Amino acid sequence: MACHAFVIHIAVQTPLHSNVGGLLSYTHGHALPPGTLVRVPLGQRELLGVVWESVPAAHADLPAGVALRPLAQVLDALAPLAAPWRQLVAFTARYYQRSLGEIAATALPPALRKLSNAQLLRRLQVKKKAAQTVPEQEKLVALTAEQQSVISQIEQNCGPFLLYGSTGSGKTEVYLHTVAAALVADPQAQALVLVPEINLTPQLLARFERRFAPTLGPQAVASLHSGLTEAQRLQHWLAAHTGQARIVLGTRMAVLASLPQLKIIVVDEEHDPSFKQEEGARYSARDLALWRGRDAGAKVILGSATPSLESWYACQQGRYQRLDMPSRIAAAALPGVHLVNMRQQPKSTVFAPALLQAITERIQRGEQSLVLLNRRGFAPVLWCGDCGWKSDCPHCSAHQVFHKGERRLRCHHCSASQAVPRHCPHCGNPDILALGHGTEQLQEALEQVLRNVQRPDGKPARIGRMDADTTQGAGQLQAQLAHIHDGSVDVLVGTQMIAKGHDFRRMTLVAAIAPDAALMSTGFRAPERLFALLMQAAGRAGRDAAFVGQQGSQPQMWIQTQQPEHPLYQALLHHDYPGFAQQQLHERQQAGMPPFVFQALVRADAKTQDAAQNFLHAAAQHAQSLPALVGVFLYPPIPMAVQRVANIERAQMLIEAASRSALQKFLHAWQPLLHPLKKQHKTVVRWLVDVDPQNL
C-alpha cells in the first residue's frame, strides 16, 4: 500500500437489499475531501461515487487478506458536495431504509455518471459562457392586506409555516416576495421551490423568471424535473451546485439538489401525493424539505388550499405556524357548488341536462368550462355480453384500457398493448361493449352534443382534452396550455393534471364527472384526496374577478354524484376544509390511523403469490426475537391491491407503531435479518421497505 497511502470510503449506487449496500472501500495516493466525486471500478463496470471518508491505510480497519482496488478517476473539476448535502443524503438513507449510494445517485444528474474529469471541466466552462434571453420585468402588483400580514409574519418568525390560502388568494405572490426578501438579505442566498408535477412547472417558472431574471441574470432561475433532457438537467444542477442559480424550481427530485447557500424552501400544493416517490428510493420531498430546512437553518413554507391532514394536525400541535389567506384576489368569489343527484337521472346519463345547458351558455358567452374525470382512455374495459369476456391484461391483475383513437388496448400498469379485437376472442360475438367512461369518451360525447353550439364569433365550440396521453410528446404540454390561455379551447376535458395550480383566466365552470369511485377505495386517504382534488378543481373557476364581472357570470362547480348527502360533498358545498379536516382527523384517531400512528410497509415481489407471502411470514417470525419489537405491531401479509404486475406477484405487510422513534428503531434492527432471508427464498425477485407509505 506504499503508493496507495489512503483508504477512501465511497458511496456507490448499490441497493440496500444487496450484499454491498454500505460504503465501498478503495485506495488512493492521498486523502480526498468528503463530497468529492470519483469514478470507481465495481465488477466489470465503472460507477460514479461520492467520497464519504478518507482514512490512512495504516489505520484502516480491514479484514485480513483483503486487497482493495484503486480509484479509477477523481472528478476534482467540480467542488466537493458540501456537508449539509451529505447530511441530507445520510438522513434520507437512514430514515427511508435505503443505501447511501442509492440516495446519492438519485440526487445526482444521470449525465454525471458518463463524464470524465476533462469533460466535466469543459461543461463548467461552457455553462459560464451560456447566454439566454432575459424576459421583460414583471409588473409588480399591490399586495392585499392578507398577503402583507402573511409576509410580515414569515419575516418575523422562524417557521416552518403552513400557508393555508384559498385557491386564487395569491399564494404565489407571497412565495415571490419571501424569496425576494431572502435573496436581498444575503447576496449568495439560494431558494428552492417545489411543485408536485411537471405540468405545473412552466407557468410557475415563467413567473419567477419574469420577476428575478431581469435583475439577477438569465441563469439565476433553474428548473429540475424529469422532463428535462440529460444535458439540461446537468446544466441546471451545475448552476445550482456552483451557486449561479439563485432559485431552483422543480418537482420532488429537486429536494435533493446541491444548494450550498439554501435559505428558503417553498413547497407548493404540499398536500399532493406526488411529492412521495413511489419507485426506487421512496422518500417524501415534502418531509425532506422540512428536515432540510431545519438542518440548514432555512425557512420552510408549505402552501395549500387543502393541506394534508398531517400538516393540519402539526399546526394543531404547535409544530407548524399556520398562516391563513381565506379571501380571493380582487374580491373574486369562490364558485358556487351544485350537487347533481345522478340517482334521479336515467341510468345511461353521462351529462345531466342542466349541466349541458350551463356549459352551452358559457360557450355562447365566450367563457371556458373544465370537465374533470380522473380516468384516461376511452373506457376502462371492454366486455362481451354473451360470454363475459373482459379485456384483462395478460401480465397484470388489471384490465387493459380501451384507447379508441389508437384502436389499442393498453395496460396502465405494465404498458403492454394490443390491437382492439374485432370480435370477442372467446365466443366470436362482434358486439363487444365499452364499459365505463374515460376522458377520450367524454371528449367525443361533448363534441357530439355541442356540435351546433356557437361561440360569440359564430364559430363552432371547440373541445380539448388534456391527460397523460395527449401531453407525452415534447412540447405538447406547453402547446395545450397555450391553446387554453389564448381561448382556442371552449371546453377542456382532462384528468387531475388540469385540476391544480393552473391559472385559467376565462374559466368560469368546472364539472366533476363520476367522482364517487374514490369513495369506494379501501385506502384510508381516499376521502382526503378526493376532497383536495375537487376543491383544487373548483379553484380553477372564476379566478379573474375582472373577467367574471365583465361577463356578468357566476363561477360554478358542478358535481355529478350518486351520493349527494355524503359528508364530504356537504363540506365541499360550503368550501369547508376545516370542518372536513376535523371530521377526518376524528375518524382517524378513532381508527388508529396516521397521523396518530406511524407506518411502514415491507413488500415482496416474487414469481408466485405464495412465495411472496412466505417470505413476509418468515420476516415476521425473525422479528419476534428482536427487543426493538416492543411497541411495534406487524399485520399479516396480504396481496397488494394490484396483485400481479408484469407477471410478478406482489404482497405486502403493514408495520405500525405509536411513535416514530420506535418504528425507526425496529426497522434498523430488523432490516439486516432480511438480507440472508432472501437467499433462502430464491423465487423472491426483490423486497423493499416503504416508510410513511401513501398507498396501502
Side-chain angles (χ1 to χ4, degrees):
M1 290 236 184
C3 60
H4 296 128
F6 281 83
V7 173
I8 314 295
H9 300 304
I10 312 288
V12 183
Q13 185 180 14
T14 54
L16 188 60
H17 56 72
S18 70
N19 290 324
V20 286
L23 295 173
L24 302 184
S25 301
Y26 295 85
T27 60
H28 195 61
H30 56 84
L32 293 173
T36 302
L37 293 180
V38 294
R39 301 189 68 80
V40 298
L42 184 63
Q44 301 298 313
R45 299 178 297 161
E46 194 171 274
L47 301 179
L48 181 71
V50 181
V51 172
W52 225 254
E53 185 183 15
S54 296
V55 180
H59 301 151
D61 184 16
L62 297 174
V66 169
L68 299 182
R69 301 170 73 178
L71 297 179
Q73 189 177 24
V74 178
L75 303 180
D76 54 8
L78 193 69
L81 292 150
W85 182 88
R86 299 195 307 276
Q87 291 163 9
L88 172 68
V89 169
F91 169 79
T92 305
R94 185 170 64 251
Y95 185 83
Y96 291 104
Q97 306 293 309
R98 316 299 293 193
S99 72
L100 273 175
E102 185 180 11
I103 300 298
T106 298
L108 298 173
L112 272 179
R113 304 170 196 171
K114 308 170 186 177
L115 299 180
S116 66
N117 200 47
Q119 291 171 321
L120 183 56
L121 185 60
R122 284 198 296 272
R123 291 295 181 97
L124 287 165
Q125 292 170 341
V126 169
K127 176 187 66 63
K128 291 178 182 178
K129 298 176 183 177
Q132 299 177 15
T133 303
V134 178
E136 184 179 342
Q137 177 76 52
E138 181 180 60
K139 184 178 179 181
L140 298 179
V141 296
L143 296 175
T144 67
E146 288 179 359
Q147 288 173 324
Q148 290 175 336
S149 173
V150 162
I151 291 169
S152 176
Q153 291 182 70
I154 292 173
E155 290 176 351
Q156 295 171 16
N157 297 285
C158 296
F161 305 96
L162 175 63
L163 178 54
Y164 169 49
S166 169
T167 53
S169 61
K171 293 188 290 295
T172 302
E173 194 63 38
V174 171
Y175 303 155
L176 290 163
H177 272 261
T178 50
V179 166
L183 300 191
V184 168
D186 182 345
Q188 291 186 311
Q190 292 177 293
L192 174 63
V193 182
L194 299 177
V195 293
E197 295 182 7
I198 295 174
N199 73 82
L200 298 178
T201 306
Q203 187 169 285
L204 198 57
L205 182 63
R207 285 288 306 275
F208 273 83
E209 286 178 337
R210 290 196 301 270
R211 182 66 61 91
F212 293 103
T215 54
L216 298 179
Q219 292 188 356
V221 184
S223 59
L224 283 174
H225 54 79
S226 60
L228 299 174
T229 65
E230 286 196 2
Q232 290 171 330
R233 186 172 164 187
L234 175 62
Q235 177 189 352
H236 296 185
W237 185 90
L238 289 173
H241 176 66
T242 59
Q244 190 167 18
R246 303 287 304 284
I247 302 165
V248 173
L249 191 150
T251 51
R252 61 176 175 259
M253 69 167 60
V255 77
L256 295 172
S258 173
L259 291 155
Q261 301 296 328
L262 184 61
K263 300 301 180 186
I264 186 166
I265 304 174
V266 173
V267 184
D268 193 27
E269 310 290 4
E270 67 87 25
H271 66 277
D272 199 291
S274 298
F275 281 121
K276 180 71 190 298
Q277 173 74 24
E278 292 294 343
E279 297 295 334
R282 299 182 174 218
Y283 61 88
S284 165
R286 179 197 65 203
D287 296 348
L288 286 183
L290 289 161
W291 187 92
R292 188 171 191 179
R294 184 171 62 249
D295 184 65
K299 291 189 177 183
V300 180
I301 304 170
L302 309 179
S304 177
T306 54
S308 65
L309 291 180
E310 283 83 357
S311 295
W312 192 260
Y313 181 66
C315 290
Q316 294 179 352
Q317 298 298 299
R319 292 187 286 118
Y320 305 170
Q321 181 179 347
R322 199 179 97 193
L323 307 173
D324 292 357
M325 292 202 312
S327 305
R328 280 187 146 188
I329 294 293
L334 287 168
V337 178
H338 295 258
L339 299 177
V340 181
N341 188 346
M342 296 304 286
R343 298 197 303 265
Q344 298 175 357
Q345 303 291 330
K347 191 172 182 180
S348 59
T349 299
V350 179
F351 297 100
L355 172 58
L356 286 176
Q357 180 60 33
I359 292 174
T360 298
E361 291 171 357
R362 276 154 177 74
I363 295 171
Q364 293 170 337
R365 292 200 301 260
E367 300 168 23
Q368 293 174 316
S369 300
L370 185 153
V371 177
L372 172 69
L373 176 66
N374 209 20
R375 189 183 300 124
R376 60 191 172 102
F378 187 86
V381 63
L382 292 184
W383 173 69
C384 173
D386 285 357
C387 71
W389 171 86
K390 291 182 179 179
S391 55
D392 293 331
C393 176
H395 312 296
C396 306
S397 52
H399 301 308
Q400 287 189 324
V401 176
F402 175 34
H403 290 255
K404 187 175 181 180
E406 308 172 34
R407 295 296 303 171
R408 305 287 296 178
L409 293 173
R410 188 178 304 280
C411 177
H412 292 173
H413 295 279
C414 72
S415 299
S417 70
Q418 58 182 308
V420 175
R422 297 183 179 276
H423 49 74
C424 174
H426 284 187
C427 70
N429 174 23
D431 297 322
I432 304 176
L433 304 176
L435 294 182
H437 305 93
T439 51
E440 192 179 358
Q441 185 177 166
L442 291 194
Q443 180 187 22
E444 182 179 288
L446 285 171
E447 287 173 341
Q448 178 66 23
V449 298
L450 301 175
R451 64 188 183 281
N452 296 323
V453 178
Q454 294 183 340
R455 296 155 45 98
D457 58 10
K459 294 180 180 179
R462 289 170 289 195
I463 317 300
R465 176 164 58 93
M466 190 168 156
D467 54 31
D469 296 326
T470 65
T471 58
Q472 57 187 355
Q476 285 185 326
L477 171 62
Q478 289 83 347
Q480 290 207 34
L481 288 172
H483 288 320
I484 300 164
H485 289 301
D486 67 19
S488 298
V489 173
D490 301 299
V491 182
L492 177 63
V493 179
T495 55
Q496 63 177 352
M497 69 187 308
I498 64 174
K500 42 194 172 183
H502 297 293
D503 197 6
F504 302 135
R505 311 309 293 180
R506 295 179 176 87
M507 197 76 67
T508 60
L509 182 146
V510 174
I513 309 300
D516 294 344
L519 298 176
M520 314 297 179
S521 172
T522 56
F524 68 88
R525 286 190 171 89
E528 176 187 7
R529 291 179 177 176
L530 177 60
F531 189 89
L533 176 62
L534 295 178
M535 278 279 284
Q536 293 288 331
R540 300 317 105 205
R543 296 176 72 86
D544 190 333
F547 177 76
V548 171
Q550 175 187 333
Q551 295 292 108
S553 185
Q554 295 292 328
Q556 295 179 345
M557 170 68 172
W558 290 68
I559 300 174
Q560 296 192 160
T561 171
Q562 299 281 344
Q563 306 177 55
E565 66 283 347
H566 195 284
L568 184 148
Y569 295 129
Q570 291 300 309
L572 196 69
L573 199 62
H574 302 97
H575 301 280
D576 184 15
Y577 173 81
F580 171 78
Q582 181 179 357
Q583 175 258 332
Q584 283 291 301
L585 285 171
H586 176 72
E587 286 187 5
R588 289 201 190 175
Q589 187 173 27
Q590 296 294 107
M593 295 289 186
F596 302 97
V597 298
F598 300 89
Q599 296 178 331
L601 278 176
V602 59
R603 192 181 102 186
D605 296 354
K607 296 178 181 178
T608 68
Q609 183 63 212
D610 284 346
Q613 292 200 35
N614 287 341
F615 173 84
L616 296 178
H617 277 297
Q621 290 174 355
H622 279 62
Q624 302 307 313
S625 62
L626 296 174
L629 185 61
V630 175
V632 178
F633 183 78
L634 279 66
Y635 288 84
I638 59 171
M640 291 187 65
V642 181
Q643 180 173 321
R644 187 177 79 258
V645 171
N647 293 321
I648 295 295
E649 292 285 338
R650 313 186 306 166
Q652 65 185 18
M653 182 168 62
L654 179 64
I655 307 158
E656 208 166 71
S659 76
R660 194 187 303 274
S661 60
L663 180 61
Q664 283 289 315
K665 184 178 179 182
F666 167 73
L667 292 175
H668 283 291
W670 185 46
Q671 182 143 213
L673 304 180
L674 302 183
H675 294 292
L677 189 61
K678 184 177 181 294
K679 294 181 180 179
Q680 302 170 22
H681 295 258
K682 300 189 181 300
T683 58
V684 172
V685 177
R686 68 185 73 86
W687 60 271
L688 59 88
V689 175
D690 184 2
V691 180
D692 301 334
Q694 290 295 301
N695 298 303
L696 299 183

